[in-house]
């Protein structure tokens, strides 16, 4: 059952405990503080519920500022790599500048640990990939 964990004007964050899945649905151009606050909530959810799967629905997400890209690479990626997360699916943004920003973030992320990343154009394909059996099981 999908439970809403957090919601505001830029993001809806929810999770399904049975599927060990978190979902963030992003909307629009975010200020640095909105982006960073929302990402911190995502990380808190992942750590609190020891999630294995994540779906970022970025279709409506707009450009990400360079300073925020740097923050994601320096602060967020290491926490994700150290987390229980094993599969991270993104539904690609319709915004060209967001696509370029995300590509740069991924290119700069040098250590993802056991986490796999995959981009998708539609939600059904992303969910199918996320639900496929995992090779690495969560530690108790």
């Amino acid at each position: 059952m999908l439970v809403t964990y957090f919601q505001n004007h830029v993001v809806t964050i929810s999770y399904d405990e049975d599927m060990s899945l978190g979902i963030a649905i992003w909307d629009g151009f975010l200020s640095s503080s909105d982006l960073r606050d929302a990402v911190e909530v995502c990380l808190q959810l992942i750590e609190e519920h020891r999630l294995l799967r994540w779906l970022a629905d970025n279709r409506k997400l707009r450009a990400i500022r360079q300073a925020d890209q740097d923050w994601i690479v320096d602060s967020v990626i290491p926490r994700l790599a150290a987390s229980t997360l094993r599969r991270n699916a993104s539904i690609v943004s319709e915004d060209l500048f967001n696509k370029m920003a995300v590509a740069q973030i991924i290119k700069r992320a040098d250590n993802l640990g056991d986490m796999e990343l995959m981009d998708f154009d539609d939600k059904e394909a992303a969910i199918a990939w996320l639900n496929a059996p995992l090779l690495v099981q969560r530690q108790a």
Side-chain angles (χ1 to χ4, degrees):
M1 180 175 83
L2 201 60
V3 176
T4 299
Y5 185 78
F6 176 85
Q7 185 171 24
N8 67 12
H9 64 287
V10 296
V11 68
T12 299
I13 302 168
S14 53
Y15 69 100
D16 184 320
E17 193 74 43
D18 293 334
M19 294 175 59
S20 193
L21 170 69
I23 301 172
I25 302 172
W26 300 93
D27 189 18
F29 182 76
L30 284 65
S31 69
S32 287
S33 62
D34 283 342
L35 175 71
R36 292 176 190 218
D37 290 348
V39 169
E40 284 294 336
V41 172
C42 293
L43 291 167
Q44 177 183 331
L45 173 60
I46 291 165
E47 293 165 356
E48 180 180 316
H49 290 273
R50 299 181 53 79
L51 298 177
L52 296 173
R53 299 169 179 89
W54 191 263
L55 175 62
D57 186 338
N58 298 337
R59 287 177 283 195
K60 300 297 179 190
L61 186 59
R62 304 294 298 269
I64 301 171
R65 291 176 181 85
Q66 184 62 51
D68 295 326
Q69 292 177 45
D70 295 342
W71 174 76
I72 291 169
V73 169
D74 296 338
S75 300
V76 177
I77 298 296
R79 282 179 68 185
L80 286 174
S83 77
T84 53
L85 210 59
R86 293 297 166 256
R87 289 216 174 123
N88 192 337
S90 295
I91 304 174
V92 178
S93 177
E94 299 164 356
D95 182 84
L96 175 64
F97 295 106
N98 178 274
K99 288 179 187 178
M100 292 176 7
V102 171
Q104 283 301 310
I105 290 168
I106 300 304
K107 184 177 178 180
R108 293 175 55 200
D110 59 355
N111 181 9
L112 298 175
D114 292 329
M115 184 178 61
E116 295 178 81
L117 300 177
M118 187 77 67
D119 289 339
F120 296 89
D121 291 323
D122 66 90
K123 186 175 182 177
E124 292 75 24
I127 294 291
W129 178 73
L130 287 167
N131 284 332
L134 295 167
L135 298 177
V136 178
Q137 296 299 317
R138 174 174 27 182
Q139 299 296 315

